[in-house]
């Protein structure tokens, strides 16, 4: 079997899908995208295709190594996201060719299903308590919310109070037993992060995500290690080498690599196993489409430290299309009792509606995140 072509499709709301075809008629799908840089990632996939055409798709580890090491310059969001989608599609091909789900090729399952959480609120949180109650009523047992708007290095207490009031309202709405994740989104600098972590302690949070940007963890490690709130981060780290120092710092309790950003299934599993050696949990990042989620679930199936899975159904970014629209059988992601079953079909376990993908790719997208500014006119972290 040999690879004959690679085709990318940019589809609403902000995703990019990849189809890899072979001379044996077996097709694999991946999701190579970096939100806001989808065209750049697609261009990198096209550049990497020069090596892939004519290769044996079953030699996944060798192909991954060549695509990572063979170009001299390596790493970063765009390169690793392109490599991620290719890797996902190669695993999909291998599983389909052998008639088994990807997790069977990776040693089999340690679980049959995994807990999921649902996003509530938007980038500027409002009415999050009502949104939380709605998703709990739909059967979810965990939610995640944005904690703050933009914050400067030293900001005012009214913004702290607004964050605390918002979290308090959600906790009151859902009760004591629902998990609440609060995402700082890297918006908070060290001085205000110290304040917010202390003020949020009474709310028994599931985790605080990206309390500071990953590049600042070393200088903030003492605070993070002593916080009683579990600390989660990792969506903007792209390889096991990026995660190594973060894990060694002892400051992180949950890592969140994104298998559409961090080199795919092959690299995400290596990151997960490295984290297990530090007794750190895994909560794969996935505010993306159905192929990305399917890849995450294949990883979750075989990683003992996988604890909860992000998914994008109904997320505020999904305007125009939602998670299940591109599947011929949306029931593969049936949510029940706050969990989703591991797909057991061949490959990634999903069937992509290729005709609908092509139709929506004709519209495409040009999604960009907003640019925020502080009151003094300087750029704020989004």
């Amino acid at each position: 079997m040999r690879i004959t072509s690679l085709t990318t499709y940019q589809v609403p709301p902000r995703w990019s899908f990849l189809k890899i075809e072979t001379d044996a008629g077996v097709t694999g799908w991946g999701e190579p995208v970096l939100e806001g840089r989808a065209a750049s990632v697609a261009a990198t996939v096209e550049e990497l295709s020069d090596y892939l055409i004519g290769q044996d798709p079953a030699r996944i580890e060798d192909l991954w190594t060549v695509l990572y090491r063979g170009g001299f310059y390596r790493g970063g969001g765009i390169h690793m996201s392109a490599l991620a989608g290719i890797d996902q599609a190669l695993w999909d091909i291998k599983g389909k060719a052998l008639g088994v789900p990807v997790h069977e090729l990776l040693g089999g399952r340690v679980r049959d299903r995994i807990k999921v959480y649902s996003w509530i609120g938007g980038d500027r949180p409002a009415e999050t308590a009502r949104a939380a109650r709605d998703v709990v009523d739909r059967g979810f047992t965990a939610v995640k919310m944005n904690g703050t708007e933009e914050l400067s290095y030293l900001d005012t207490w009214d913004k702290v109070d607004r964050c605390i009031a918002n979290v308090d309202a959600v906790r009151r709405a859902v009760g004591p037993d629902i998990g609440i994740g609060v995402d700082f989104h890297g918006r908070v600098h060290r001085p205000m992060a110290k304040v917010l972590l202390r003020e949020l302690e009474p709310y028994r949070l599931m985790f605080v995500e990206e309390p500071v940007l990953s590049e600042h963890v070393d200088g903030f490690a003492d605070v993070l290690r002593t916080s009683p709130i579990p600390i989660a981060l990792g969506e903007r780290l792209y390889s096991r080498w990026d995660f190594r120092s973060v894990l060694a710092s002892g400051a992180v309790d949950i890592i969140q690599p994104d298998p559409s950003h961090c080199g795919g299934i092959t690299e995400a599993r290596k990151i997960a196993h490295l984290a297990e050696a530090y007794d750190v949990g895994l909560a794969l990042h996935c505010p993306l489409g159905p192929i990305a989620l399917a890849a995450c679930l294949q990883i979750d199936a075989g990683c003992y430290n996988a604890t909860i899975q992000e998914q994008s159904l109904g997320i505020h970014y999904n305007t125009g299309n939602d998670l299940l629209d591109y599947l011929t059988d949306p029931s593969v992601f049936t949510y029940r009792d706050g969990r989703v079953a591991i797909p057991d079909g061949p490959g990634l376990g999903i069937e992509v509606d290729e005709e609908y993908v092509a139709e929506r790719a004709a519209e495409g997208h040009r999604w960009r995140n907003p640019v925020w500014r502080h009151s003094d006119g300087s750029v704020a972290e989004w």
Side-chain angles (χ1 to χ4, degrees):
M1 186 162 54
R2 292 290 183 268
I3 296 171
T4 56
S5 67
L6 293 84
T7 308
T8 56
Y9 303 87
Q10 292 188 45
V11 297
R14 56 176 190 162
W15 304 331
S16 182
F17 298 162
L18 166 66
K19 178 177 69 173
I20 297 183
E21 297 178 276
T22 68
D23 59 3
V26 183
T27 297
W29 288 87
E31 195 164 329
V33 66
L34 192 67
E35 299 93 301
R37 298 291 184 268
S40 300
V41 174
T44 303
V45 170
E46 195 278 329
E47 290 176 338
L48 295 175
S49 71
D50 290 347
Y51 178 78
L52 289 167
I53 300 298
Q55 297 291 330
D56 178 358
R59 297 189 62 185
I60 297 172
E61 190 72 35
D62 182 66
L63 293 175
W64 193 100
T65 303
V66 170
L67 295 179
Y68 179 77
R69 297 182 182 273
F72 189 76
Y73 299 102
R74 63 196 67 172
I78 291 173
H79 178 204
M80 297 303 284
S81 296
L83 180 49
I86 292 168
D87 181 82
Q88 293 167 4
L90 294 176
W91 279 110
D92 195 29
I93 289 170
K94 192 162 192 172
K96 288 174 178 175
L98 297 174
V100 295
V102 167
H103 63 257
E104 287 293 336
L105 301 175
L106 299 172
R109 294 183 297 193
V110 299
R111 62 178 51 80
D112 300 321
R113 62 195 65 84
I114 190 166
K115 187 174 182 177
V116 294
Y117 66 79
S118 180
W119 260 98
I120 55 172
D123 289 323
R124 297 188 178 274
E127 299 184 353
T128 45
R130 182 186 306 171
R133 187 68 257 171
D134 288 345
V135 299
V136 169
D137 288 344
R138 298 203 310 269
F140 289 94
T141 58
V143 298
K144 188 171 81 173
M145 58 188 287
N146 273 328
T148 71
E149 301 176 354
E150 63 270 38
L151 284 176
S152 60
Y153 280 86
L154 291 174
D155 219 314
T156 54
W157 273 95
D158 64 308
K159 290 188 179 180
V160 175
D161 290 342
R162 197 176 308 149
C163 169
I164 301 308
N166 207 25
V167 174
D168 181 73
V170 170
R171 175 55 77 202
R172 291 175 182 273
V174 301
D177 300 323
I178 298 298
I180 301 174
V182 176
D183 190 357
F184 285 12
H185 218 248
R187 297 170 183 169
V188 185
H189 298 284
R190 173 176 171 165
M192 297 306 296
K194 293 168 64 176
V195 173
L196 283 167
L197 285 173
R198 184 188 67 227
E199 296 296 315
L200 286 168
E201 285 182 16
Y203 294 98
R204 299 182 177 182
L205 298 179
M206 181 170 62
F207 55 73
V208 164
E209 180 174 335
E210 276 198 323
V212 292
L213 291 169
S214 298
E215 54 262 38
H216 300 315
V217 166
D218 284 349
F220 200 55
D222 287 345
V223 175
L224 298 179
R225 279 194 293 260
T226 57
S227 173
I229 304 173
I231 301 301
L233 59 82
E235 68 189 70
R236 287 187 270 193
L237 300 175
Y238 307 112
S239 72
R240 73 200 92 150
W241 298 281
D242 290 344
F243 277 94
R244 181 174 56 185
S245 63
V246 169
L247 289 167
S249 75
V252 177
D253 306 294
I254 306 291
I255 58 161
Q256 300 172 303
D258 188 318
S260 280
H261 301 338
C262 74
I265 293 170
T266 297
E267 185 70 358
R269 274 177 50 88
K270 293 175 181 177
I271 294 167
H273 294 324
L274 179 63
E276 186 181 356
Y278 287 91
D279 201 26
V280 168
L282 176 72
L284 294 171
H285 182 255
C286 190
L288 298 171
I291 304 170
L293 179 57
C296 286
L297 294 175
Q298 297 298 327
I299 298 165
D300 291 329
C303 289
Y304 177 75
N305 55 335
T307 181
I308 196 167
Q309 178 58 58
E310 182 173 26
Q311 53 80 47
S312 75
L313 186 63
I315 196 172
H316 51 290
Y317 299 124
N318 291 356
T319 57
N321 282 104
D322 210 333
L323 176 68
L324 305 178
D325 294 349
Y326 294 100
L327 300 177
T328 59
D329 179 15
S331 69
V332 70
F333 292 145
T334 299
Y335 300 96
R336 187 172 293 113
D337 299 324
R339 292 176 170 82
V340 65
I342 305 298
D344 58 7
L348 294 179
I350 59 172
E351 185 176 345
V352 175
D353 186 341
E354 186 172 348
E355 183 176 336
Y356 187 65
V357 168
E359 176 186 328
R360 297 301 288 145
E363 176 177 326
H365 69 85
R366 198 172 176 84
W367 186 86
R368 297 291 185 268
N369 62 258
V371 176
W372 288 359
R373 291 188 180 272
H374 294 296
S375 58
D376 65 1
S378 62
V379 172
E381 294 281 357
W382 173 74

